[in-house]
Amino acid sequence: MRQRVKGVRRLQRSEYATDSVTLARRLLGCTLVRAIEDGPCLSGVIVETEAYCGAPDLASHAVGGRRTPRNEAMYAQGGTSYVYFTYGMHFCFNVVCGEVDVPLAVLVRALEPVEGIEEMKRRRASGRKAMALERLRDTDLCSGPGKLCAAMGIDRALNGVDLVSDERLWIEPGAETSQIATGPRIGIGFAKEWVEKPLRFWVKGNPHVSGRSK
DNA sequence: ATGACGATTTACT
DNA sequence: GTAAATCGTCATA
């Protein structure tokens, strides 16, 4: 198995075999790593997540047990990635957790960039909806689910891959985060009694979290 | 076959 | 603050 740095391990299968709230908190402080062929490794510390809670969750793509070609990856085993395309232009990256056929997932909403920052800038400054290169601050690189996918080169080719074994994308554990803030999830105003539930988690005071959390 | 819309981002008033 | 960009997906027919 490819490792970025000797002695740094990945999160293992058993650590994904849990509910989405537990994993959403656990992922804060962990490092998402993207290995690019013929390029530098891109990585960032996860600083903002959201838990999606399966069939009862009115905000989940799997609400009511809905199972379609698009959200099939949510029903895979814990440790699988779920990448979807939305608004005709953005990708969002989720970590599936729990057991097979139970559609739990954690949306990764923001990273604090660590490795490959210049490459992330280039990726964020090219393409259609792109911010001008000179305008890009480090806190603009990965401070949102669509932004971090653009910066990290995460697209539909990485949907459904196994983060425990894939050579292009994985997660390394971090120290337990002490200062965790919670609040309602973003962009799910349609979800009725699930709108206000505190299922978004972020590292308190971190400048790399998405706009409304700062 | 058609149409409504989205777990967003950016630019602009 | 508001609106535009942009297209795959899914429910309906």
Side-chain angles (χ1 to χ4, degrees), chain A residues 78-158:
Chain A
T80 301
S81 81
Y82 169 43
V83 179
Y84 66 87
F85 182 64
T86 191
Y87 290 102
M89 63 194 88
H90 301 297
F91 293 96
C92 293
F93 167 68
N94 296 254
V95 181
V96 174
C97 58
E99 299 171 15
V100 172
D101 289 333
V102 181
L104 303 176
V106 175
L107 172 67
V108 177
R109 286 193 59 90
L111 306 175
E112 175 168 343
V114 175
E115 294 171 278
I117 291 178
E118 288 310 308
E119 177 63 20
M120 290 187 193
K121 279 190 182 162
R122 278 191 290 277
R123 287 167 179 268
R124 284 274 289 127
S126 64
R128 301 176 197 281
K129 215 57 175 292
M131 200 180 256
L133 189 82
E134 64 276 9
R135 223 166 214 212
L136 272 173
R137 301 160 298 170
D138 284 6
T139 50
D140 295 318
L141 294 180
C142 298
S143 53
K147 297 180 190 178
L148 75 88
C149 282
M152 298 279 286
I154 296 173
D155 62 19
R156 62 181 107 251
L158 292 173

Side-chain angles (χ1 to χ4, degrees), chain A residues 170-193:
Chain A
W170 65 88
I171 298 173
E172 296 171 358
E176 198 161 314
T177 313
S178 53
Q179 296 271 18
I180 298 180
T182 71
R185 294 174 292 182
I186 301 296
I188 53 140
F190 55 86
K192 301 184 177 173
E193 67 266 27

